[in-house]
């Protein structure tokens, strides 16, 4: 099957504007601006069943329709912060298929009436930002961005903005704060960005991959898109696969592909042919799934993965084989979350600090059974109480690790 | 010396991205610009940026403090930031860093005697399929180095050293 | 009235205004929800997670939009997660459970998390006894620590953020109240967080550190012992302190304060003021104080306090009895006949000024106000209407500030005006140079010194600004004395009053004229009939002078000369001054902390203060001293009871007949509710239980005719070649007697200085930071040179009370100090 998002894998030099254009690029863009009402664009995206690829899987068209039409100007922001451990799909899309992504941002902007869009990239994507700046300049030169596009009233500018090393800036309101030149700390929600976003104005924020889908949906229609994937989760997804597999990397597959197909058919199986012990389907924020044959044969879509006691999230699948100790895994994840907790709210700031002490002690073999119990208790005490989801994320591997892999913790602690 | 005098074109271009009444948004790109000079952000640079954006120096410092890619202390010319986060660690990143340390004769957080390289361990850099990997943060910005070995890393350091010598 | 909403909190029906936060609604109903980051004066942030509660809302039918009913009751849908009471706003039919098992579990969890990093050093903590964290720990905290003590974070414990405020990093719970206060309320974001996560710490990078005159307020709202004042820290335990209501004497705002006192070993068992705390008065200072008001009170404990009457014998001042001293003064005053002059300042209370004025009237002498600012009869006429509350001004209203640097002269007015602008009021700042208020102004008008009256008169001509001012729902003008002497400020006041009258902004609340006086009770002095005179030297020369609460000799060599030529000088004051040194008789007066009385603020609010500490030595209240002098002159004035003096005063002054001490002591409920047992809510600000004061009706509001006298402006100064015009400006921390003795503020006072435009300085070969010599009006002195490119080139700014005597604009010569022999 031809690629939908990773089309550069099919077509050489796809990051060149002429090549992109020759392969149908910007046709949707031109048609939208010259022949369609903004609401039509939103409706097609709504009908396609596209759900956000940033993690929460929120229906994209519905989000666009929430934009407050009584308060102007509107902004669009592409979330290119991509900092979840195990996630590296947005980077490939932007590096190799930049125009499709930018065309998606443009279409989103048109749909919600924004004249300015920002691409917020994590600071480490320094070179990528410069590359995108060039691509934006190419589009301006070709008349795809700028004032009075295609001779209409509509104007659009896209700017890149670099973060500077903070996972929390992937959270949409923290991202907005950061873009406003402040510390990247989440805001209280509601109000949500479509009502109160950048500079307090209605703003639509979507993930890079979400945007990259839009030109294809407009070109091929909502029904085409719906025909891919499952009832619950339409279309295709780029799965970032990492950990103990033979061929880690990005795999674009329709929703509904099983874990087994991903790991064994596409990625060549586990290193040294060992068995899969656990899967983290959503990066470090993930619950740990105990893997057996049934799990491996589970189709990956948002609803079905939930039946395994985990969220699919951004579909950054980390594979753990039987050589990996879960106490080590949670020590790693807590190290990450303690480092990335923004410090704004008490349970996350203090809880991660506390959990780090406990996981280090347990992993280093100086902990006791009481420490494991306390760790589980502290994690649960954090749950449902934090200001943003990061605090919740930090507890997922801890709670599911201790509850689902008790033997690893018996082994780890002193008698 | 103000950035407006030393880098007038860049400053203007940065400011043009944001609505004039929200010029505070320019603080992050301006900090990158300031950091390019010394490898860290000096107090006077913070003052300069604060003045330019009509915010307080404390507000600027508070932003420098929040984000890990801004530094307010001098370190090596290049910061070599090895990802040791879970996915990379599952593919040998910790061992790679250990070996690199012994090869360079420094510990994580330390700088080589010639002041060229500071070795750091960092969180996921969105290159989990290409571990071991690191980024270098230096005068020429941030660059990724993927699927690395200790040997290839030592070659890179040698090349950086060579370039540094030529510069001087 | 705004729309009301009814909800249920813990089975109680509560009706509150729509838009109220759940935490505040509970407070209104007397239900306490614990909070740390929430503060009723700050924007909600929901970051500490202390206020977790269960919130349910009536379920709506998806299709019909109607409330779903169940057993005749609306079906309530609870959120699966606990929610923060401090960020959720009330809605009709909402159900809140603050003490359910689930809610308590959440609150307990937060306290435990906070305590993991807290040093638990309560026994040595200044906040002990009034610490929200301590109190909430008693209520919600775990009995036993599950966190290993040895793993506790260790951080710096004594960090001076500036010379006034100290930070203990270990105790900080990252609620950001201090940062948010500085940013949102004070508009001076000089505090911030450094780093992130568990490493988050407070920093201040301003120069000087914590550069804000509102810094002390952060110690009141800090919910732990992280921020303390250099003045009070380690000074006493809150539970040892007594509290007495008072009024700040530092400026015409009239902030309500509470004096905390204690018997002190260090001062031989005397009872002393340990700290000055804000006392809530939402119409005056809300719950805030400026640092001058908080820290300058130490002047009342100065070693230079006068404690015994003195008389001059053989050229030397020596102890005398009260009887002998008052007799001597009385004899001289009587024999002076109409050459008897009372010179008093707005540092005195109304009762004092009233007795002094009565004495002058009885004896056929004159009563002169020691002040360079005019216009008080106009503030009586068209001052702000009774019921004025700047805190309620906002969109649609206008505020004009002219010839005043409010930040320096009346900080709490600055803060309230700035907040009115934040709420949408049109702020117009007219001043010859840039001031800190400009940043919040919609319009700034720059005029040349000398053009004040003209600038305001121009408002009657058509302009966008004038139009907006004229059309404003409500409008207030603050006028001051920057660059002006008596004549200039009188002219300006008259222009302002005319503008207000013509635009129909008089006689109503939130409309009218406010004088930014140089002293706390100047307005009161005008009310009892004191008036400044144009030529003070002439008024004093050869007279028998009775000076109260003023130091003309120390302030101005020309006045010193005039007084040396006086026939007889009696001085009554609390401190030794240059004037007491030349006096024939000296009467020791009591400080405001030692007696009771009333002041009238610039907004014409009559407010009571109370005795908090015993008087020093043999000192007496000013009004008593005057009564004793009067008695020796055969005039009977009330001298033992301040309240009786006030009753007589009230009866003899138009519009004050209704007033009495009892009336002034009345209180009403105020929002937010502060100062009760739950210090975590509003901070340590005191609740007002001793009087909100009464605002006087201006004549315009009382129905009197508004006739504004024209003031003839003096001819403009004509500087000769190489001369500049020296103009007076006002500074917050000056060298005046009511500040200078407060050691703590010395760093901020600095030395005498003069500001020039950089081009002027350059032309004269002077450099900023260097020393210069300035001479004018027969006076000369040295000063530090500063430059300010927002002033015009022909002027030199000279701060008042900073060592260079300046009362009005004068021509001056400036030279480099090096060039002067
Ligand atoms: C801690 C945290 C980190 C996140 N990081 C990212 C990220 O790196 N990229 C992203 O697109 N969304 C991220 N999200 C999700 C965003 O908040 C937001 O839901 C998303 O950008 C919306 O886009 P979508 O609807 O297209 O998924 C993160 C959320 C949280 C709570
Ligand atoms: S949950 Fe963590 S990251 Fe989110 S606001 Fe709280 S401290 Fe910040
Ligand atoms: S979160 Fe509500 S009081 Fe702090």
């Amino acid at each position: 099957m031809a690629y939908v998002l990773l089309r550069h894998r099919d077509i050489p030099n796809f990051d060149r504007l002429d090549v992109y254009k020759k392969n149908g690029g910007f046709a949707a863009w031109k048609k939208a601006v010259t022949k369609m009402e903004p609401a039509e664009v939103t409706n097609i995206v709504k009908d396609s069943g596209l759900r956000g690829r940033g993690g929460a899987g929120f229906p994209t068209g519905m989000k666009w329709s929430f934009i407050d039409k009584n308060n102007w100007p509107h902004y669009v922001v592409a979330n290119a912060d991509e900092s979840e451990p195990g996630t590296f799909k947005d980077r490939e899309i932007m590096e190799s298929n930049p125009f499709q992504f930018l065309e998606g941002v443009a279409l989103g902007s048109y749909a919600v009436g924004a004249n300015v869009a920002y691409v917020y990239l994590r600071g480490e994507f320094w070179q990528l930002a410069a590359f995108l700046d060039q691509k934006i300049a190419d589009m301006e030169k070709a008349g795809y961005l700028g004032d009075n596009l295609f001779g209409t009233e509509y104007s659009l500018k896209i700017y890149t903005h670099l973060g500077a090393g903070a996972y929390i800036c992937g959270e949409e309101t923290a991202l907005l704060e950061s873009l406003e030149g402040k510390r990247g700390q989440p805001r209280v929600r509601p109000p949500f960005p479509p009502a109160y976003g950048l500079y307090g104005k209605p703003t639509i924020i979507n993930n890079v991959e979400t945007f990259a889908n839009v030109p294809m949906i407009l070109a091929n229609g909502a029904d085409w898109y719906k025909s891919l994937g499952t009832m619950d989760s339409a279309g295709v997804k780029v799965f970032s696969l990492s950990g103990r597999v033979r061929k880690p990397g990005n795999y674009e597959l329709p929703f509904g592909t099983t874990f087994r197909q991903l790991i064994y058919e596409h990625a060549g199986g586990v290193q040294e042919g060992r068995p899969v012990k656990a899967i983290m389907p959503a990066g470090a924020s993930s619950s740990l799934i105990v893997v057996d044959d049934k799990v491996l044969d589970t189709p990956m879509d948002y609803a079905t993965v939930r039946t395994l006691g985990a969220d699919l999230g951004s579909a950054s699948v980390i594979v753990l084989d039987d050589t990996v100790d879960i106490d080590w895994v949670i020590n790693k994840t807590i190290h990450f979350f303690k480092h990335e907790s923004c410090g704004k709210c008490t349970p996350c700031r203090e809880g991660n600090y506390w959990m780090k002490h406990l996981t280090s002690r347990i992993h280093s073999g100086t902990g006791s059974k009481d420490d494991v119990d306390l760790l589980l208790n502290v994690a649960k005490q954090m749950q449902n109480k934090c200001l943003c989801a990061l605090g919740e994320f930090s507890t997922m591997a801890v709670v599911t690790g201790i509850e689902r892999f008790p033997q690893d913790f018996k082994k780890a602690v002193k008698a | 010396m103000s950035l407006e005098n030393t880098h007038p074109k860049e400053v203007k271009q940065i400011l043009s991205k944001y609505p004039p009444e929200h010029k505070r948004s320019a603080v992050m790109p301006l900090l990158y610009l300031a950091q390019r000079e010394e490898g860290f952000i000096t107090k006077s640079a913070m003052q300069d940026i604060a003045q330019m954006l009509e915010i307080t120096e404390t507000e600027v410092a508070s932003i420098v403090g929040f984000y890990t890619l801004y530094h307010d202390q001098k370190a090596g010319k290049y910061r070599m930031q090895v990802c040791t986060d879970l996915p990379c660690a599952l593919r040998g990143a910790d061992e790679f860093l250990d070996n690199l340390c012994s090869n360079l004769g420094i510990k994580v957080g330390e700088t080589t005697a010639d002041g060229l390289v500071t070795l750091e361990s960092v969180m996921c850099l969105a290159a989990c399929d290409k571990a071991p990997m690191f980024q270098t943060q230096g005068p020429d910005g941030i660059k990724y180095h993927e699927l690395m070995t200790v040997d290839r890393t030592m070659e890179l350091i040698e090349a950086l050293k060579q370039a540094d010598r030529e510069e001087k | 009235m705004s729309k009301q909403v009814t909800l249920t909190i813990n089975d109680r029906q509560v009706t509150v205004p729509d838009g109220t936060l759940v935490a505040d609604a509970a407070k209104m109903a007397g239900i306490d929800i614990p909070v740390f980051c929430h503060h009723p004066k700050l924007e909600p942030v929901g970051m500490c997670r202390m206020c977790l509660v269960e919130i349910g809302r009536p379920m709506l039918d998806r299709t019909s939009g109607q409330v779903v009913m169940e057993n005749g009751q609306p079906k309530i849908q609870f959120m699966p997660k606990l929610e923060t009471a401090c960020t959720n706003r009330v809605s009709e039919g909402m159900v809140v459970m603050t003490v359910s098992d689930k809610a308590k579990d959440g609150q307990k969890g937060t306290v435990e998390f906070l305590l993991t990093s807290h040093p638990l050093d309560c026994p040595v903590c200044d906040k002990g006894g009034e610490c929200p964290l301590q109190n909430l720990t008693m209520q919600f905290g775990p009995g036993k620590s599950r966190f290993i003590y040895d793993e506790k974070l260790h951080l710096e414990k004594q960090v001076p953020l500036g010379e006034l405020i100290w930070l203990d990093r270990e105790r900080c719970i990252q609620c950001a109240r201090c940062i948010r206060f500085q940013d949102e309320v004070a508009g001076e974001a000089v505090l911030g967080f450094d780093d992130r996560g568990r490493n988050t710490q407070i920093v201040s990078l301003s120069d000087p550190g914590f550069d804000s005159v509102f810094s002390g307020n952060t110690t009141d709202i800090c919910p732990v012992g992280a921020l303390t004042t250099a003045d009070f820290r380690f000074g006493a335990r809150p539970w040892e302190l007594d509290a007495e209501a008072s009024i700040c004497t530092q400026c015409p705002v009239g902030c309500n304060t509470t004096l905390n006192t204690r018997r002190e070993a260090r001062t031989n068992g005397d009872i002393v003021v340990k700290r000055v705390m804000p006392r809530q008065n939402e119409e005056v200072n809300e719950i805030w104080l400026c640092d001058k008001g908080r820290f300058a009170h130490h002047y009342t404990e100065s070693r230079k306090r006068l404690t015994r009457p003195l008389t001059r014998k053989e050229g030397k001042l020596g102890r005398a009895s009260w009887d002998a001293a008052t007799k001597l003064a009385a004899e001289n005053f009587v024999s002076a006949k109409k050459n008897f002059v009372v010179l008093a300042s707005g540092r005195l209370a109304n009762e004092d000024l009233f007795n002094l004025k009565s004495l002058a009237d009885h004896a056929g002498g004159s009563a002169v106000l020691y002040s360079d600012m005019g216009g008080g009869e106009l503030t009586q006429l068209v001052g702000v209407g009774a019921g004025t509350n700047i805190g309620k001004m906002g969109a649609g209203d206008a505020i004009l500030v002219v010839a005043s640097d409010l930040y320096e002269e009346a900080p709490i007015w600055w803060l309230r005006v700035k907040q009115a602008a934040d709420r949408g009021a049109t702020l117009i700042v007219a001043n010859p140079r840039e001031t800190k208020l400009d940043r919040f102004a919609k319009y700034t008008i720059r005029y040349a010194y000398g053009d004040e009256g003209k600038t305001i008169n121009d408002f009657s001509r058509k302009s966008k600004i004038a139009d907006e001012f004229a059309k404003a729902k409500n409008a207030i003008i603050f006028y001051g004395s920057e660059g002006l002497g008596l004549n200039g400020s009188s002219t300006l006041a008259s222009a302002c009053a005319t503008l207000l009258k013509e635009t129909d902004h008089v006689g109503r609340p939130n409309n009218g004229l406010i004088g930014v006086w140089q002293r706390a009770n100047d307005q009161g002095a005008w009310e009892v009939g004191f008036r400044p005179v144009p030529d003070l030297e002439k008024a004093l020369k050869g007279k028998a002078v009775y000076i109260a609460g003023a130091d003309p000799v120390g302030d101005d060599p020309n006045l010193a000369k005039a007084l040396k030529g006086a026939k007889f000088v009696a001085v009554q004051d609390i401190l030794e001054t240059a004037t007491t040194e030349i006096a024939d008789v000296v009467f020791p007066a009591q400080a405001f902390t030692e007696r009771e009385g009333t002041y009238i603020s610039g907004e014409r609010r009559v407010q009571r203060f109370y005795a908090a500490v015993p008087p020093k030595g043999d000192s007496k209240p000013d009004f008593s001293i005057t009564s004793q002098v009067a008695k020796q002159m055969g005039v009977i004035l009330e001298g033992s009871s301040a309240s009786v003096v006030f009753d007589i005063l009230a009866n003899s002054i138009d519009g004050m007949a209704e007033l009495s001490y009892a009336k002034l002591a009345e209180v009403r409920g105020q929002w937010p509710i502060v100062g009760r047992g739950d210090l975590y809510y509003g901070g340590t600000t005191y609740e007002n239980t001793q009087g909100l004061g009464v605002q006087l009706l201006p004549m315009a509001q009382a129905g009197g005719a508004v006739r504004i006298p024209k003031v003839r402006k003096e001819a403009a100064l004509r500087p000769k070649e190489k001369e500049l015009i020296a103009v007076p400006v006002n500074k917050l921390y000056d060298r005046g007697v009511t500040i200078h003795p407060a050691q703590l503020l010395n760093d901020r006072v600095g030395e005498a200085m003069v500001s020039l435009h950089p081009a002027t300085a350059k032309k004269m070969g002077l450099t900023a930071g260097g020393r210069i010599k300035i001479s004018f009006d027969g006076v000369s002195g040295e000063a530090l040179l500063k430059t300010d490119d927002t002033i015009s080139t022909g002027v030199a700014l000279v701060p008042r009370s900073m060592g260079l005597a300046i009362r009005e604009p004068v021509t001056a010569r400036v030279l480099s100090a090096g060039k002067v022999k």
Side-chain angles (χ1 to χ4, degrees), chain A residues 165-166 183 188 338-347 349-351 353-354 357 361 374 377-378 381-382 384-387 392, chain C residues 45-49 52 81 87 106 109-110 112-114 116-117 146-148 151-153 173-174 193-198 200:
Chain A
R183 293 160 64 80
V188 171
K338 174 182 160 267
H339 188 263
E340 299 301 334
S341 165
C342 82
K344 183 166 179 173
C345 75
T346 308
R349 178 183 69 239
E350 307 294 337
Y353 177 73
W354 195 353
H357 277 299
R361 220 183 301 145
L374 181 58
N377 193 282
V378 169
Q381 188 163 309
M382 290 170 66
N384 290 330
K385 305 205 181 80
C386 298
L387 175 61
E392 309 291 332
Chain C
V45 285
M47 58 198 274
C48 76
R49 318 306 282 177
L52 294 169
K81 287 183 178 189
T87 61
T110 298
E112 184 178 33
F113 279 133
L114 283 173
T116 58
S117 293
R146 299 194 292 172
F147 190 88
I148 297 185
E151 288 183 352
K152 263 198 196 297
L153 194 66
I173 59 164
Q174 286 83 21
F193 275 137
D194 191 12
D195 216 314
R196 68 185 191 204
R198 188 39 264 185
T200 304

Side-chain angles (χ1 to χ4, degrees), chain A residues 128-380:
Chain A
L128 179 50
F131 173 79
L132 281 184
D133 282 341
Q134 251 166 33
K135 300 296 154 189
I136 291 168
D138 289 351
M139 282 174 71
E140 284 175 355
K141 216 181 297 154
Y144 295 124
L145 289 175
D147 290 337
N148 300 96
L149 293 168
F150 312 109
T152 68
E153 297 274 271
Y154 185 70
S155 308
L156 178 66
K157 285 270 197 188
I158 300 180
Y159 299 110
T160 59
H161 180 101
L162 274 177
Y167 165 68
I168 186 61
C169 289
E171 195 282 335
E172 57 187 19
T173 58
L175 184 154
L176 293 174
E177 289 283 297
S178 179
L179 188 47
E180 289 183 6
K182 300 176 189 152
R183 293 160 64 80
Q185 293 187 319
R187 299 174 182 167
V188 171
R189 297 184 311 170
F192 292 94
Y196 185 95
L198 184 62
Y199 309 129
K201 296 295 172 189
T203 300
I204 294 300
I205 307 178
N206 280 113
N207 171 257
V208 169
E209 184 186 350
T210 311
F211 280 120
N213 277 291
V214 176
M216 295 298 273
I217 292 172
L218 282 181
N220 302 318
D223 289 336
W224 162 79
Y225 196 74
K226 252 192 305 204
S227 74
L228 310 170
T230 67
M231 276 288 282
D232 169 72
S233 314
V236 294
K237 178 82 193 76
V238 180
F239 295 88
S240 292
L241 183 63
S242 66
R244 294 288 168 98
V245 290
R246 286 212 171 95
K247 289 190 284 177
N250 285 319
Y251 293 94
E252 179 189 313
L253 299 164
F255 279 109
T257 306
T258 64
F259 286 110
R260 192 189 299 280
Q261 285 167 325
L262 174 66
I263 296 169
Y264 290 94
E265 282 176 25
H266 297 280
V270 177
Q271 286 177 342
E272 294 160 22
R274 304 201 73 97
V276 181
K277 172 176 177 175
I279 286 177
M280 302 177 80
S285 304
S286 196
S287 295
L288 285 151
I289 303 174
V290 183
V291 171
D292 56 20
D293 277 345
K294 203 179 119 250
V295 167
L296 283 175
D297 288 323
T298 305
M300 292 183 283
D301 70 14
Y302 293 110
T304 315
V305 172
R306 203 157 293 147
T307 64
L308 302 178
D311 275 315
L312 184 57
S314 51
S316 346
V317 181
I318 306 176
V319 173
L320 309 175
D321 66 13
D322 64 345
T323 65
V324 179
D325 293 327
I326 301 302
D327 59 296
W328 174 83
V329 172
I330 65 166
N331 190 39
K332 275 282 180 197
T333 61
I334 293 306
H335 181 68
F336 172 78
F337 288 111
K338 174 182 160 267
H339 188 263
E340 299 301 334
S341 165
C342 82
K344 183 166 179 173
C345 75
T346 308
C348 174
R349 178 183 69 239
E350 307 294 337
N352 273 305
Y353 177 73
W354 195 353
M355 288 202 293
K356 181 62 190 148
H357 277 299
L358 292 165
T359 60
S360 302
R361 220 183 301 145
I362 293 164
H363 172 60
S364 68
T366 57
S368 66
K369 186 181 166 301
D370 286 351
D371 285 330
V372 178
D373 294 343
L374 181 58
L375 174 61
L376 183 61
N377 193 282
V378 169
K380 287 195 167 164

Side-chain angles (χ1 to χ4, degrees), chain C residues 12 128 168 171 207 242 267 271 273 307 333 340 369 376 397 411 416 427 563 660 665 673 677 719 728 754:
Chain C
R12 287 248 300 277
D168 182 313
R171 292 181 193 151
D207 184 18
D242 286 325
T267 49
I271 293 174
V273 175
T307 55
F333 294 160
F340 169 46
L369 179 61
D397 300 332
R416 302 210 347 129
L427 173 60
L563 281 171
S660 66
I673 298 164
V754 166

